[in-house]
Amino acid sequence: MPGKPAGNIDWAAVQSEIFSAAGPQSATESTFPRQHPAAQSGSHDQRMRSLSLSLPWRRPRSAVFTHDGYNINENAIDDSNDHYTNPEHRRHGTAGALKGMFRRASHSIKGMVHRRPSLLNEETIQEQSGTDSRPSTANSTWNKLRQATGFRHTRSVYGLDASYQAGLPYRPAQANVPIPALGDAPPYIPEHGGAAAKASAAMQNEFFARNRWLYKTTSEDGNDRESGIGIVLTGTSADFDVEAEAASKAAKISRLDFITALPTELAIQILAKLDAAGLAKLSTVSKAWSQVIRNQHIWRESFFREMGKTYATSGAVQPNTGLGIPKMVPSNDWKRAYQIKRELSQRWKEGKARPVYLSGHSDSVYCLQFDEHKIISGSRDKTIRIWDMRTFECCLIIGPPEVVHGNDLLLADDHLETHYAASSDDERIAVSRPDVTAFDIHHKASILCLQYDDEILVTGSSDATAIVYDIKDGYSPIRRLEHHSAAVLDLVFNDKYIVTCSKDTTICAWDRRTGVLLRQLRGHAGPVNAVQMRGNTIVSCSGDFLVKLWNIDTGKTIREFAGHTKGLACSQFSEDGRYIASAGNDKIIRIWDANTGECVHEMRAHENLVRSLHIDSVSGRLISGSYDTDIKVWDMATGLQLLDFPRWHASWVLSAKSDYRRIVSTGQAPKILIMDFGADIEGVEMLESSGPLSLRDSGFF
């Protein structure tokens, strides 16, 4: 709040000195000397007239608010109304009057210069005289408070003391003109009503408009300081230059290159938190940033964080496990691996796959399993064949002696090789002559199901038996599992159990190491067509329309999933055991919550029996194959169809499985279909886990 003007005068002391110098007079004489000209000298007369206009309490404040030429008080002191009895005195008085006029003007101008700023101050001018220079608003609280203070002198509407007015030959009329508010004092509003109030407001507004340069806005004046309305800039250009310089310095600080300022190790740790899109943008900031971002540690961390996410697995994808995360070696270009992975994902979304057909079996191919390096297939021709995924060559045939030593196994009647890979237009792109072998332990009927890992291969057959092979020993048989009374339709194993299901409506659990039958599960009323296992929990489906969940340790049913209206042909378990997918002759795929038994999604999938299902627990894709010859891809999370490959098979689809790059399927026709989504991506092989360049280099054959 601005302070008061410097040099305030103690007006009460000055007034007291003036009246004491005038001598003992009556109240009337001391306040109005012009009524008794004979008793006073001219010089005294002149001095009193000068002071009456110069001193603050002798000037009506209302004059400040009026227009030029407009006089509220027409009876104000005027030298032209003075009467002098002595002409000589008048002559000297005239000269004195001129000097007095100049002196009064100088005092008045000086008073205005010192008083005007204080008029607009938030503090009220404090006068020592104890009098109020303003008229009173009728019946106002201000008037009552003023009277309660007991001031001796009261001010008239003309700015003169009431004692002076009492000595006048006439009493001035009450002012009819409103006087605006000043300082903390309220405005004077006459008793005549609204017209005077409007005039007072108009006069005050006009005064503020004419003297806006004196007025500094405050929050008490009604301005909204929060919004910035009415804010007046009072600083100099130098002030603004200083502020601009400070802002410029702040901007320079905010643009500090922290990547180059920090130690390289810390910068790498910070940048490793970003995804590929963020890293690509930051690499364009400067050459220094681009150089830091080339560090393989940054891209490796980003790759694992983004590409290691899964839909339904017990943990993130680990490197070198055949799931699209390569082995961690110093020579890896992780940025390029990230780009390849993104491009591969885009091709999955667009359904861009290159088909390759493998020919060699002489009858329907019922089952298969594959990885990045090989495919193992089982057929109605009683043989097992191992194929090289990279070269598409058939490397080994395992079967009964009478089959594998047949004349037409390797060469056709036209003396062309029977094992070859062809494109979609039936053009041969790879030709092979596989090795053949026959063991004493072999299947005597169709190979209906199989599964392998790094150590063993287990096959199930229509001959009601299962055979365990040692992969590391050239696929030589280890033992035969015999107990079922009908065809072994499906099987699954882990590091502890081998589980088989049969057309005889039972499920058998075997010890993996010894081959001993541990338990036989009964509960289905029809053939058990499919079985899956996670931990000690088994899921099975049957021709009795039911999906069952079993505890392998107790042999008891945990839960039944009812909803299908016809016999079931296939079922799958997600890797983390949360979801079950089932399908069959009702042409509907159902996804179940294994914990609650609730049907999460129901998809009307195909136009004929759904023969095969496969859950990719990493991507959340569900692959279905049907007797309608179509292969479809579904989103497990939403139940929506993502892709459809109609009639890529010439007949029924019997089995279809997928990984991060391919869908491999078999059918009633003796061919294997490979749909490769990464075939046209340069460098896609770097996503593969470590392994031999070809199966023939592995030493197995």
Side-chain angles (χ1 to χ4, degrees):
M1 183 178 292
K4 296 180 180 180
N8 287 342
I9 303 174
D10 189 352
W11 297 111
V14 175
Q15 186 182 26
S16 176
E17 181 181 354
I18 291 173
F19 286 135
S20 62
Q25 297 180 15
S26 64
T28 304
E29 291 174 347
S30 62
T31 55
F32 190 52
R34 283 180 290 182
Q35 292 296 326
H36 306 281
Q40 301 292 334
S41 66
S43 61
H44 183 288
D45 227 21
Q46 185 69 21
R47 182 177 65 176
M48 291 301 296
R49 282 194 298 271
S50 175
L51 288 173
S52 68
L53 292 180
S54 300
L55 298 180
W57 61 78
R58 298 303 183 189
R59 287 176 62 246
R61 293 185 181 179
S62 59
V64 179
F65 300 90
T66 58
H67 295 290
D68 296 338
Y70 177 79
N71 190 8
I72 299 176
N73 182 10
E74 296 181 356
N75 296 321
I77 298 175
D78 189 353
D79 285 338
S80 63
N81 294 331
D82 293 341
H83 302 283
Y84 301 93
T85 56
N86 189 349
E88 187 67 16
H89 188 190
R90 179 180 180 86
R91 189 167 51 249
H92 291 287
T94 302
L98 291 174
K99 295 179 180 179
M101 289 175 62
F102 283 104
R103 184 167 57 252
R104 287 194 300 273
S106 65
H107 279 286
S108 300
I109 293 173
K110 182 178 180 181
M112 291 176 65
V113 169
H114 285 284
R115 288 170 57 84
R116 278 187 177 178
S118 64
L119 290 175
L120 297 178
N121 274 340
E122 296 182 12
E123 299 181 3
T124 308
I125 300 175
Q126 303 294 330
E127 299 179 358
Q128 301 296 327
S129 64
T131 62
D132 191 358
S133 63
R134 298 182 52 76
S136 303
T137 300
N139 299 323
S140 67
T141 304
W142 179 269
N143 185 35
K144 295 178 182 179
L145 292 174
R146 183 184 61 78
Q147 293 176 357
T149 58
F151 293 144
R152 178 179 179 182
H153 297 283
T154 57
R155 194 67 54 85
S156 71
V157 296
Y158 298 97
L160 304 178
D161 289 346
S163 58
Y164 177 78
Q165 296 181 33
L168 293 176
Y170 60 91
R171 295 185 62 84
Q174 185 76 4
N176 296 326
V177 180
I179 300 177
L182 184 63
D184 292 335
Y188 171 77
I189 301 175
E191 300 181 45
H192 302 294
K198 294 178 181 178
S200 175
M203 185 179 296
Q204 183 170 358
N205 292 339
E206 185 173 355
F207 169 74
F208 287 148
R210 293 177 60 188
N211 300 276
R212 190 176 296 277
W213 63 278
L214 291 174
Y215 186 69
K216 293 183 179 180
T217 60
T218 66
S219 59
E220 297 176 357
D221 299 323
N223 287 329
D224 184 3
R225 290 194 174 208
E226 295 291 339
S227 64
I229 298 175
I231 291 179
V232 179
L233 298 178
T234 58
T236 63
S237 60
D239 296 333
F240 297 140
D241 293 340
V242 171
E243 294 176 1
E245 184 178 356
S248 177
K249 290 181 179 178
K252 291 180 180 178
I253 293 174
S254 65
R255 292 195 296 268
L256 178 65
D257 187 352
F258 68 94
I259 293 298
T260 55
L262 288 173
T264 304
E265 294 79 3
L266 291 180
I268 289 173
Q269 292 298 325
I270 293 172
L271 294 173
K273 305 297 182 182
L274 301 177
D275 59 9
L279 292 173
K281 289 181 180 179
L282 290 183
S283 64
T284 63
V285 172
S286 66
K287 291 183 178 179
W289 284 38
S290 179
Q291 184 66 29
V292 175
I293 291 173
R294 289 195 188 107
N295 187 280
Q296 288 299 318
H297 174 80
I298 295 175
W299 287 98
R300 183 185 66 194
E301 294 299 315
S302 181
F303 182 90
F304 283 139
R305 184 175 56 254
E306 298 297 322
M307 302 306 174
K309 298 178 181 178
T310 66
Y311 172 72
T313 65
S314 55
V317 178
Q318 298 301 312
N320 203 37
T321 56
L323 299 176
I325 305 295
K327 185 179 180 179
M328 295 177 62
V329 294
S331 60
N332 282 348
D333 185 348
W334 293 100
K335 180 178 180 180
R336 179 56 185 157
Y338 200 112
Q339 294 171 341
I340 293 172
K341 194 77 171 178
R342 293 293 296 270
E343 186 175 354
L344 182 60
S345 176
Q346 185 63 31
R347 291 179 67 86
W348 270 97
K349 292 179 181 178
E350 298 173 357
K352 294 182 178 180
R354 188 178 72 183
V356 176
Y357 294 89
L358 303 181
S359 298
H361 282 287
S362 59
D363 208 336
S364 300
V365 183
Y366 284 128
C367 55
L368 66 77
Q369 184 181 340
F370 73 96
D371 57 37
E372 297 169 309
H373 310 294
K374 63 180 177 294
I375 302 171
I376 299 181
S377 59
S379 170
R380 188 179 180 187
D381 62 13
K382 308 175 187 179
T383 66
I384 303 164
R385 306 196 187 203
I386 294 94
W387 309 77
D388 191 310
M389 179 65 83
R390 293 181 177 177
T391 64
F392 307 128
E393 295 179 354
C394 183
C395 301
L396 180 64
I397 303 174
I398 303 171
E402 65 274 14
V403 174
V404 299
H405 296 305
N407 294 328
D408 58 350
L409 182 67
L410 300 179
L411 293 175
D413 294 339
D414 55 2
H415 302 287
L416 293 176
E417 288 80 0
T418 57
H419 292 78
Y420 62 91
S423 61
S424 58
D425 56 1
D426 205 26
E427 178 184 357
R428 295 193 177 192
I429 58 178
V431 178
S432 60
R433 285 194 179 187
D435 295 336
V436 297
T437 185
F439 300 104
D440 295 337
I441 302 175
H442 57 267
H443 288 296
K444 299 176 182 180
S446 302
I447 311 296
L448 301 179
C449 54
L450 63 84
Q451 181 180 336
Y452 69 85
D453 62 10
D454 293 337
E455 297 178 352
I456 64 173
L457 165 67
V458 182
T459 59
S461 171
S462 297
D463 62 10
T465 66
I467 297 177
V468 181
Y469 301 86
D470 186 350
I471 291 181
K472 294 182 178 180
D473 190 21
Y475 293 89
S476 61
I478 299 174
R479 67 182 60 90
R480 186 190 297 270
L481 304 178
E482 296 179 276
H483 187 78
H484 287 290
S485 59
V488 177
L489 301 178
D490 199 8
L491 63 87
V492 65
F493 64 84
N494 58 19
D495 57 357
K496 186 176 181 181
Y497 302 106
I498 298 175
V499 177
T500 58
C501 64
S502 173
K503 199 172 183 179
D504 63 9
T505 73
T506 66
I507 300 170
C508 289
W510 314 79
D511 186 283
R512 169 172 172 158
R513 295 184 181 275
T514 64
V516 174
L517 178 62
L518 300 176
R519 187 168 287 104
Q520 189 172 28
L521 309 180
R522 299 179 182 273
H524 282 292
V528 183
N529 292 316
V531 65
Q532 283 284 297
M533 178 172 52
R534 294 292 180 263
N536 64 345
T537 305
I538 298 173
V539 61
S540 63
C541 69
S542 169
D544 61 6
F545 311 169
L546 293 178
V547 179
K548 286 180 178 282
L549 206 61
W550 308 78
N551 186 301
I552 196 172
D553 296 327
T554 64
K556 295 183 178 179
T557 302
I558 300 173
R559 182 173 287 109
E560 290 185 355
F561 304 85
H564 285 283
T565 58
K566 292 185 179 181
L568 298 176
C570 51
S571 62
Q572 280 279 298
F573 220 165
S574 66
E575 194 274 336
D576 61 358
R578 287 189 299 161
Y579 302 107
I580 297 171
S582 60
N585 208 18
D586 60 3
K587 311 170 190 176
I588 294 175
I589 300 174
R590 294 178 183 266
I591 299 175
W592 310 85
D593 187 313
N595 297 320
T596 65
E598 177 187 3
C599 182
V600 179
H601 297 294
E602 179 181 314
M603 297 97 80
R604 299 188 179 277
H606 291 273
E607 298 177 357
N608 207 333
L609 180 144
V610 182
R611 180 63 176 83
S612 175
L613 289 176
H614 176 78
I615 295 177
D616 184 348
S617 297
V618 175
S619 65
R621 292 187 288 261
L622 175 67
I623 313 299
S624 65
S626 169
Y627 281 3
D628 63 6
T629 73
D630 290 355
I631 295 174
K632 295 185 178 181
V633 182
W634 308 84
D635 184 4
M636 286 279 293
T638 63
L640 299 177
Q641 178 179 305
L642 302 177
L643 298 172
D644 185 12
F645 300 96
R647 295 174 175 79
W648 281 41
H649 279 277
S651 59
W652 296 349
V653 178
L654 300 178
S655 179
K657 300 183 185 297
S658 73
D659 65 358
Y660 67 93
R661 176 178 171 179
R662 307 173 180 91
I663 297 175
V664 182
S665 58
T666 64
Q668 189 177 21
K671 291 183 179 181
I672 299 171
L673 170 61
I674 302 173
M675 291 185 285
D676 191 352
F677 292 86
D680 299 323
I681 300 176
E682 183 179 357
V684 70
E685 293 80 11
M686 70 183 304
L687 299 180
E688 297 178 359
S689 58
S690 59
L693 296 178
S694 68
L695 291 182
R696 294 191 181 276
D697 297 332
S698 65
F700 292 158
F701 315 110

